[in-house]
Amino acid sequence: MGRYVVGVDFGTLSGRAVVVDVADGAERGSAVHAYRHGVVTERLPGGPALPPGWALQDPADHVEVLRTAVPAAVRAAGIDPAEVVGVGLDATSCTVLPTRADGTPLAELPEFRDRPHAWPKLWKHHSAQRQADRINARAAERGEPWLARYGGRVSAEWQLAKALEVLEEDPEVFRRADRWVETADWLVRLLCGRETRNASAAGFKGLCQDGISPAPDFLAELHPELPDLLPKVDGPLLPPAARAGALTVEAAGWTGLPAGIAVAAGAIDAHVTAAAARSVAPGRMLAVLGTSTCLIMNADTCHEVPGVCGVVEGGVTAGRWGYEAGQSGVGDIFAWYVDRALPASYAAEAARRGMPVQDLLDSLAADQRVGGHGLLALDWHSGNRSVLMDHELSGVLVGLTLATRPEEIWRALLEATAFGARTVVEAFEAAGVPVDELTAAGGLTANRLLLRIYADVLRRPLHVLDAAHPAALGAAIHAAVAAGAYPDVESASAAMGAAHHETWHPDPARAAAYDELYADYRTLHDHFGRGGTDILHRLQARRHQSHPTP
């Protein structure tokens, strides 16, 4: 048995590869490659403009990560590639693409290059809310038993809503697609030459429960051709960290890794991060704080949690029930404020001080008394994933005066995401799924003001993971299991997972003050999100009417 495994994480804006030691998970080398096209939201490269709510990606950008970041990470590690025994990868989800039978993405065919629906739909592609609403209404009318496993509402981000949107708006793309596949599974096929489906994505995003997809007659009630989706999404279902196949000679040439090594089944980024955080035991919730937030945990029993994204047997690790919830916008909200709403004078001042503008805002907002800004925000700039599951909702900010300063709005936005996380945690516990421990991972853990706010708002210790690339580490842990170095994810996680490097404890006085502000957040949350008014939906409808689908 060799000494190393490689993990590759395909995020929203970039991919990263790490080389880690099988014995203890120590990182030996890493590399990051930014996607050339990033997230395609305004128009296709050289093609037509896109309506609001669209978010696409170029599959070639993902392939380039395998060609550049993986060999760069191996060089950085200074190891003999012959000592690598396995490779695993994860990707954002639900990020799906239509392909031909041989795996060729439709977006790469000349006749479909300018057809937006032929491109991979990123997880935060939200324009299928109308389709999701119809799916939810029909499933409720029929009493579909799987609906409760998704908190009573299927997300516009998930596979079925996106496929129905394609069928209704560009039926030729739907018909020409032989396969409708998660990006992680498509990439695994590139590595090992064998098409497989990871059970996590199939369960959480594909509505496959107990090995069964929604019934053809249910799909036909949504659209007569929708049952044709079923053969497009079939294929061998593999549990987390299973061996999908062996690295092909061709893929070995791209990556610089030895042909024949184990390739792990594809995985969802937040789910493999649970292994990196040693958070796979029941009661340990992981919050992956990044562009969005995913909240992941295991339990020994199945509970129906209103507003949860999904409850899937074996969805995170084999033999346990995996739970997922989340917030569609967190880091995205902060980036929007800095890029599009912050006065230019703040960027100039940050440059003068030689610091990132976010750090300047944190320093100006850190000492303010809780509630002292007089503001309250709803963290729905990218819709609401949990617990309302409605992507036609939008951000709200109340309490503005002529004296309001930009750093006060910044703090209100940080607090709003913490309130959203508390809403999710309370939903879990109210449904009988106790959260005994909370760990945070992801890029936003570098923001110390944010961590302090989360600990105070959530009223519980917040452990912070010490790993530069936690999802890639988790993918490497899965690779170690697929290579036979460990019998299961639990034992590999215990040996290779990263340690917590600090714990943030709530301050009693600030926590009490946040309780009052959180109560007001819930009032706004329920008024705008649970029927007090439909004004946010009306505003979004007018916006969509002015931007027709291409």
Side-chain angles (χ1 to χ4, degrees), residues 87-174:
V87 57
L89 63 84
D90 67 82
T92 59
S93 181
C94 179
T95 296
V96 285
L97 67 157
T99 77
R100 301 310 308 271
D102 64 359
T104 302
L106 292 193
E108 294 183 351
L109 301 178
E111 63 268 34
F112 288 109
R113 191 67 180 169
D114 289 336
R115 303 273 281 273
H117 282 296
W119 287 60
K121 296 185 187 299
L122 183 62
W123 63 268
K124 64 175 182 175
H125 176 90
H126 289 151
S127 68
Q129 186 62 50
R130 178 171 56 88
Q131 286 79 11
D133 290 341
R134 286 171 42 218
I135 292 167
N136 291 324
R138 196 72 199 105
E141 290 169 3
R142 287 170 51 104
E144 292 291 334
W146 47 262
L147 188 61
R149 296 267 183 95
Y150 300 94
R153 289 180 62 83
V154 172
S155 174
E157 295 178 353
W158 288 183
Q159 175 180 276
L160 184 58
K162 288 174 173 174
L164 182 55
E165 181 189 36
V166 174
L167 175 57
E168 292 181 334
E169 296 183 2
D170 196 339
E172 184 183 3
V173 167
F174 180 87

Side-chain angles (χ1 to χ4, degrees), residues 11 19 44 52 76 124 274 290 339 365 373 402 425 435 454 473 512 525 545:
V19 177
L44 292 182
K124 64 175 182 175
D339 295 341
H373 47 46
L402 295 178
V425 172
V435 178
Y454 269 57
L473 171 59
H525 175 282
Q545 288 166 6

Side-chain angles (χ1 to χ4, degrees), residues 399-474:
L400 290 168
T401 73
L402 295 178
T404 300
R405 298 190 57 78
E407 60 267 25
E408 295 174 326
I409 297 174
W410 172 255
R411 178 161 177 154
L413 294 174
L414 299 183
E415 291 168 342
T417 67
F419 294 147
R422 178 168 168 174
T423 302
V424 174
V425 172
E426 288 184 351
F428 270 76
E429 297 204 309
V433 185
V435 178
D436 302 321
E437 180 180 285
L438 183 62
T439 298
L444 290 180
T445 57
N447 186 312
R448 300 181 72 78
L449 175 59
L450 183 71
L451 296 176
R452 190 184 84 189
I453 289 171
Y454 269 57
D456 290 339
V457 168
L458 289 160
R459 279 190 163 273
R460 61 180 66 225
L462 181 65
H463 306 295
V464 182
L465 189 64
D466 184 15
H469 306 294
L473 171 59

Side-chain angles (χ1 to χ4, degrees), residues 82-425:
E83 292 189 277
V84 176
V85 295
V87 57
L89 63 84
D90 67 82
T92 59
S93 181
C94 179
T95 296
V96 285
L97 67 157
T99 77
R100 301 310 308 271
D102 64 359
T104 302
L106 292 193
E108 294 183 351
L109 301 178
E111 63 268 34
F112 288 109
R113 191 67 180 169
D114 289 336
R115 303 273 281 273
H117 282 296
W119 287 60
K121 296 185 187 299
L122 183 62
W123 63 268
K124 64 175 182 175
H125 176 90
H126 289 151
S127 68
Q129 186 62 50
R130 178 171 56 88
Q131 286 79 11
D133 290 341
R134 286 171 42 218
I135 292 167
N136 291 324
R138 196 72 199 105
E141 290 169 3
R142 287 170 51 104
E144 292 291 334
W146 47 262
L147 188 61
R149 296 267 183 95
Y150 300 94
R153 289 180 62 83
V154 172
S155 174
E157 295 178 353
W158 288 183
Q159 175 180 276
L160 184 58
K162 288 174 173 174
L164 182 55
E165 181 189 36
V166 174
L167 175 57
E168 292 181 334
E169 296 183 2
D170 196 339
E172 184 183 3
V173 167
F174 180 87
R175 294 166 188 152
R176 287 285 300 277
D178 299 308
R179 314 299 290 161
W180 181 248
V181 60
E182 282 275 352
T183 290
D185 295 329
W186 177 71
L187 290 165
V188 165
R189 178 175 181 168
L190 289 182
L191 291 180
C192 70
R194 175 176 177 242
E195 182 180 295
T196 58
R197 303 275 171 159
N198 76 84
S200 296
F204 284 102
K205 320 299 182 179
L207 310 186
C208 181
Q209 289 284 348
D210 307 318
I212 302 171
S213 296
D217 63 319
F218 166 73
L219 300 179
E221 291 181 11
L222 296 168
H223 190 289
E225 293 186 53
L226 194 55
D228 294 342
L229 177 66
L230 294 175
K232 301 176 192 288
V233 299
D234 66 358
L237 279 179
L238 297 184
R243 182 186 173 109
L247 191 70
T248 66
V249 172
E250 181 183 9
W254 301 339
T255 60
L257 300 177
I261 64 170
V263 178
I268 299 173
D269 51 358
H271 294 201
V272 296
T273 304
R278 299 181 182 177
S279 293
V280 294
R284 294 181 178 179
M285 176 177 279
L286 172 69
V288 183
L289 307 177
T291 305
S292 66
T293 285
C294 285
L295 296 146
I296 305 297
M297 68 180 297
N298 267 332
D300 288 326
T301 54
C302 177
H303 294 263
E304 295 173 359
V305 183
V308 75
C309 295
V311 184
V312 177
E313 187 173 14
V316 177
T317 62
R320 289 199 166 105
W321 289 89
Y323 291 75
E324 179 185 330
Q327 298 162 260
S328 292
V330 180
D332 260 359
I333 298 175
F334 309 151
W336 160 81
Y337 183 64
V338 169
D339 295 341
R340 301 198 177 190
L342 190 67
S345 60
Y346 277 70
E349 177 61 18
R352 188 186 70 79
R353 298 190 189 188
M355 62 169 56
V357 68
Q358 294 92 336
D359 290 353
L360 173 64
L361 290 168
D362 285 347
S363 67
L364 294 172
D367 294 333
Q368 189 166 51
R369 179 175 57 84
V370 173
H373 47 46
L375 302 173
L376 190 60
L378 294 176
D379 51 319
W380 299 347
H381 298 59
S382 192
N384 181 284
R385 185 185 298 158
S386 300
V387 294
L388 301 173
M389 200 67 78
D390 185 347
H391 292 287
E392 290 298 297
L393 296 173
S394 50
V396 174
L397 178 64
V398 298
L400 290 168
T401 73
L402 295 178
T404 300
R405 298 190 57 78
E407 60 267 25
E408 295 174 326
I409 297 174
W410 172 255
R411 178 161 177 154
L413 294 174
L414 299 183
E415 291 168 342
T417 67
F419 294 147
R422 178 168 168 174
T423 302
V424 174
V425 172

